[in-house]
Amino acid sequence: MKTNSKILLIIHGGAGTLPKSATTSRSIDAHNKAMKKALLEGYGILQKNGSSLDAVCAAVKILENSALFNAGYGSVLNQKGKVELDAAIMDGSTLKAGSVAGVSRIRNPVLAAKFIMNYSKHVMLIGRHAENFVLRHGMKLINSESLITSHQYEKWQALKIKKQDDNEKFGTVGAVALDRHSNIASATSTGGIMNKAPGRVGDSPIIGAGTYANNETCAVSATGQGEFFIRSVFSYDLAAQMQYKNLSLEVASTHAMKRLASLGGKGGFIALDRSGNMAIQFNTEAMYYGYINENEIIVVNH
Ligand code: ASP
């Protein structure tokens, strides 16, 4: 099979307002370290001729396992003090996709999304049905309390006392990749929004909203106020502008962000196409992101 020399992985660790606790040099170092680890893990797969699908899954898994991000372990809590996790994955070469929403006993929701993509005839499973499905296919379930960090518990308690919404939204994770076979893929994972209503599902697990990949256009992973990304069908809107208007990734990205902003939505995204063009945009105060290619590894947290 003909191989493409260009390989590329982009990741994000959420868009929003930087919490004060995240601006100390120790915290910045810890975030950078986790982001670099995720980039190196995913890139290692691409270097060995692995698929973009495996690369995005591996990178997101690392970030889910880090307490620093709002995905997997360390996710935000809902109004009842519970975690409810959402994730999705999409393969741009086949348009196959898998997603989970509202799961609380799965350590790595991105792996569950991949299981659903590979072993189910459905795209999306929710709650305990998703958990039971992955259990039947060999994934271990965990106690949902073990996903809660003391940091998130304290934040939730403080919010309860103040009876207000958290405005330091940050930490959803995602990845997009291009492999040596010129295939692209995308994955996103999140605990959603702090103090969300039980049962609330954001954009991350909705194909075409927070996550999308199509070799003909681009791979996208979004982060921000999920309701607006769902209403603007953000990721598909970006891809459709490339497909039907023949726009470049950069121009289509700017249009999609304008449309999001016109609804009042705040957030950002990472995207790439199969030629290796990148787009990274946000209209929040900050977004954590990073990328790695044959020349450099970059992590940015502002
Ligand atoms: N988009 C995520 C959601 O609405 C949250 C985030 O990206 O911070 O669930």
Side-chain angles (χ1 to χ4, degrees):
M1 196 190 275
K2 200 173 146 278
T3 59
N4 169 20
S5 57
K6 236 181 196 176
I7 52 176
L8 171 65
L9 173 68
I10 316 176
I11 61 172
H12 70 77
T17 311
L18 269 181
K20 280 185 201 70
S21 59
T23 51
T24 65
S25 67
R26 248 180 74 198
S27 161
I28 291 172
D29 285 352
H31 279 86
N32 288 353
K33 216 170 131 196
M35 295 281 282
K36 280 200 176 140
K37 189 174 169 199
L39 284 169
L40 290 171
E41 184 79 17
Y43 196 70
I45 292 174
L46 297 175
Q47 277 180 313
K48 287 185 225 129
N49 285 344
S51 70
S52 50
L53 195 75
D54 287 343
V56 292
C57 194
V60 166
K61 185 179 164 198
I62 298 274
L63 299 173
E64 285 178 339
N65 287 342
S66 163
L68 299 172
F69 299 93
N70 173 22
Y73 177 60
S75 287
V76 298
L77 308 187
N78 69 13
Q79 286 166 1
K80 299 249 182 259
K82 308 270 184 220
V83 288
E84 286 187 333
L85 313 179
D86 301 337
I89 191 161
M90 187 159 184
D91 181 348
S93 65
T94 58
L95 300 187
K96 282 190 175 167
S99 77
V100 289
V103 296
S104 54
R105 293 187 298 156
I106 295 177
R107 171 94 191 184
N108 293 110
V110 73
L111 291 183
K114 200 173 173 202
F115 266 52
I116 289 164
M117 181 178 108
N118 287 339
Y119 306 129
S120 159
K121 60 179 181 187
H122 306 300
V123 169
M124 184 177 205
L125 291 176
I126 62 166
R128 67 191 154 81
H129 303 291
E131 293 166 357
N132 291 339
F133 177 85
V134 296
L135 177 67
R136 284 202 300 279
H137 285 83
M139 187 180 279
K140 260 186 24 206
L141 296 185
I142 55 162
N143 181 335
S144 74
E145 314 257 292
S146 68
L147 292 167
I148 302 177
T149 56
S150 51
H151 173 68
Q152 290 297 354
Y153 186 74
E154 279 157 24
K155 263 175 81 177
W156 175 74
Q157 289 242 305
L159 276 175
K160 257 197 344 182
I161 297 161
K162 285 196 271 164
K163 288 207 179 345
Q164 63 181 36
D165 274 345
D166 180 25
N167 57 11
E168 292 180 349
K169 295 180 189 94
F170 227 100
T172 288
V173 307
V176 290
L178 164 67
D179 66 29
R180 289 213 200 279
H181 304 290
S182 298
N183 290 324
I184 60 178
S186 163
T188 314
S189 181
T190 186
I193 287 179
M194 176 62 119
N195 225 17
K196 64 187 180 181
R200 179 263 188 192
V201 175
D203 59 313
S204 311
I206 312 263
I207 300 303
T211 306
Y212 189 70
N214 182 345
N215 273 3
E216 287 180 12
T217 53
C218 60
V220 186
S221 171
T223 169
Q225 299 167 323
E227 284 69 13
F228 292 92
F229 284 83
I230 295 172
R231 288 169 54 210
S232 66
V233 202
F234 182 85
S235 300
Y236 183 71
D237 181 48
L238 200 168
Q241 302 211 36
M242 292 176 75
Q243 184 131 33
Y244 302 123
K245 284 191 170 172
N246 233 352
L247 297 182
S248 67
L249 176 67
E250 195 59 40
V251 176
S253 295
T254 303
H255 285 200
M257 278 303 283
K258 272 201 188 130
R259 196 154 161 264
L260 178 85
S262 72
L263 294 178
K266 291 246 179 227
F269 71 91
I270 53 172
L272 52 72
D273 63 20
R274 66 188 316 201
S275 309
N277 295 307
M278 297 196 261
I280 299 168
Q281 296 188 13
F282 53 95
N283 65 3
T284 43
E285 191 181 295
M287 182 165 91
Y288 285 127
Y289 64 89
Y291 62 86
I292 182 166
N293 57 25
E294 43 285 319
N295 305 319
E296 56 190 351
I297 173 165
I298 303 281
V299 172
V300 179
N301 54 10
H302 52 73

